Amino acid sequence: MKILAVDTSCDETAAAVTDGTTVLSNVMWSQASLHAEFGGVVPSVAQRAHEERIDWMIERALRQAGCRMADIEAVAVTAGPGLAIALGVGIKKAKELVSKLKVPLISVNHVEGHALSPLARARTESQDARPKRIEFPATALVASGKHCDIIRIEKIGTYKLLAHTIDDALGEALDKAARMLGMGYPGGAILEKMAKKGNLETYDLPTPMLGREERLEFSYSGLKTAMWRLVQKELPLTPEKIYNLAAVFQNKAFLHVERLLIRVLDEYPTQDFLFGGGVSANSELRKRVRKICRQRNVGMHLPYSKRLCGDNAAMIGVAAGFKAARREFTDPDKIDRLPRWKVDEVK
Ligand code: KG4
Ligand code: ZN
């Protein structure tokens, strides 16, 4: 079933065409530069930018997929979680399309999309020849700018939230640290580059929730405050200091993920592990998570391209494909924005 998917949950205007788990196209327009001067996403700016670009993104997604609008058999849209007025743009467009095309509507949870993104397959075998055979129940980690969740996937469509953040998400914490060090927004990827040149022995920062892993909670506010104090003490910053501070912060932020992940995999063992979300693009974190999985003989699965790590609509199309197979369609008159929709409430 050819699905046209759209996601306008945050600051990417994204559209894609998928067929089952195969990604036929995946395009997005990042608004990051519009929000950079504010150091975070401004909802009203995001809404306007989505409205201006959504038709163009849909056109591009169809063209890249080699499809006409008439080939589309269902429309999928992110209903939440995300910024209410931004979500509204995608939902309105999806309703318009299903009414015009007379095809079913599928509402998708954005976090479910990230969790299932490693199941997406590239259109060409050469890009991704790996089989994606996954044993369920499986474990997923979604680490992004808004979410830091460890999820147990009982089966596709049935989720249990095992760990979540009580304050900042991992990507958000990395972005804030990057900002303290004078890097742009979002700074996670820049921080990664700077951290590569740094020395871990130079500074000391606390490991979040050390010894309290049994609570299965992520928390980055303490680490962030400690980082802020340290940066104030080290002013004025030199490139050398920036590299070291970036390395030390990133290390402690990732150590928190590692400790919680070990706890979860030991307590709720599974054969397969899926890793998605913007921060899953980070090579240092990938390396550390891979090591934890290898030690436990757990198969680790990442999205086949970094374009599927950050916000995108292909992951929404993939999740929608599974929903379509289960005949889980949404009444266009009843669909609503669900800004706080939790992944364990998808049914
Ligand atoms: O999934 P995503 O695009 O949006 C949300 O759903 O929030 O994730 C964005 C987050 C940002 O915090 C960004 O800094 C982070 O992902 N990110 C990275 C890297 N690339 C993106 N963090 C660390 N290392 C990277 N290479
Ligand atoms: Zn996201």
Side-chain angles (χ1 to χ4, degrees):
M1 182 186 244
K2 280 203 177 68
I3 296 179
L4 171 66
V6 297
D7 183 298
T8 60
S9 59
C10 192
D11 61 346
E12 306 275 341
T13 312
V17 179
T18 53
D19 190 349
T21 54
T22 305
V23 178
L24 302 180
S25 65
N26 185 25
V27 300
M28 65 277 290
W29 185 77
S30 170
Q31 307 171 0
S33 60
L34 297 181
H35 302 288
E37 62 174 302
F38 306 102
V41 179
V42 183
S44 56
V45 174
Q47 179 193 19
R48 201 171 326 123
H50 285 311
E51 282 166 351
E52 284 168 6
R53 306 282 168 154
I54 184 108
D55 286 328
W56 183 44
M57 284 301 112
I58 291 173
E59 244 170 67
R60 275 187 51 200
L62 289 168
R63 204 175 330 123
Q64 276 190 21
C67 284
R68 290 166 308 137
M69 199 57 111
D71 300 327
I72 295 302
E73 297 163 88
V75 176
V77 64
T78 301
L83 299 169
I85 59 172
L87 290 164
V89 179
I91 292 176
K92 184 163 166 255
K93 182 53 65 185
K95 284 173 71 168
E96 247 173 66
L97 290 171
V98 294
S99 141
K100 198 168 95 188
L101 300 172
K102 309 263 177 297
V103 295
L105 176 66
I106 305 164
S107 81
V108 177
N109 179 292
H110 182 83
V111 176
E112 179 182 16
H114 276 303
L116 301 184
S117 60
L119 301 180
R121 287 167 152 277
R123 188 176 199 171
T124 49
E125 276 275 290
S126 56
Q127 258 178 288
D128 179 38
R130 290 169 299 160
K132 292 277 166 76
R133 260 186 237 103
I134 287 164
E135 282 290 321
F136 294 100
T139 310
L141 168 63
V142 173
S144 74
K146 297 282 168 300
H147 312 282
C148 205
D149 295 331
I150 303 180
I151 301 157
R152 183 170 170 95
I153 309 179
E154 299 293 351
K155 58 180 188 206
I156 293 177
T158 308
Y159 308 97
K160 193 171 162 207
L161 194 55
L162 295 180
H164 68 284
T165 176
I166 54 169
D167 41 59
D168 289 358
L170 174 58
E172 190 178 2
L174 296 171
D175 291 344
K176 286 179 180 166
R179 197 167 151 80
M180 291 177 207
L181 299 176
M183 299 166 195
Y185 169 84
I190 312 167
L191 196 85
E192 175 183 18
K193 277 200 196 110
M194 300 295 151
K196 280 200 178 112
K197 302 188 207 169
N199 177 353
L200 287 181
E201 306 302 320
T202 46
Y203 298 109
D204 195 23
L205 281 172
T207 306
M209 305 293 275
L210 189 64
R212 284 178 290 161
E213 285 78 13
E214 81 284 351
R215 288 168 63 169
L216 296 184
E217 286 171 344
F218 287 102
S219 168
Y220 282 104
S221 65
L223 177 62
K224 197 178 65 188
T225 309
M227 175 70 167
W228 190 81
R229 287 209 194 96
L230 181 56
V231 171
Q232 299 312 303
K233 218 175 80 200
E234 291 301 316
L235 291 173
L237 297 177
T238 59
E240 202 67 29
K241 284 185 189 177
I242 291 176
Y243 302 151
N244 294 336
L245 286 163
V248 171
F249 184 89
Q250 190 184 258
N251 175 49
K252 287 300 168 99
F254 289 173
L255 210 55
H256 185 23
V257 177
E258 289 171 78
R259 295 181 67 96
L260 226 56
L261 190 59
I262 288 171
R263 177 91 199 188
V264 166
L265 289 177
D266 290 349
E267 205 164 317
Y268 304 91
T270 55
Q271 278 189 30
D272 287 289
F273 172 77
L274 288 73
F275 187 15
V279 190
S280 72
N282 186 290
S283 33
E284 173 64 23
L285 187 57
R286 284 182 171 194
K287 196 173 84 191
R288 295 184 186 201
V289 169
R290 188 170 288 121
K291 186 171 168 205
I292 291 170
C293 286
R294 199 176 294 131
Q295 284 166 344
R296 285 162 184 76
N297 218 4
V298 171
M300 172 169 159
H301 307 273
L302 281 161
Y304 70 79
S305 151
K306 288 196 177 172
R307 283 175 71 78
L308 277 127
C309 293
D311 283 349
N312 69 90
M315 66 184 192
I316 302 303
V318 168
F322 290 109
K323 286 190 125 179
R326 297 194 303 268
R327 314 295 301 160
E328 284 179 27
F329 299 112
T330 309
D331 182 343
D333 293 327
K334 293 202 181 129
I335 187 170
D336 201 2
R337 312 175 295 189
L338 298 166
R340 297 186 184 283
W341 195 10
K342 293 219 198 93
V343 73
D344 48 2
E345 296 166 350
V346 292
K347 284 236 161 118

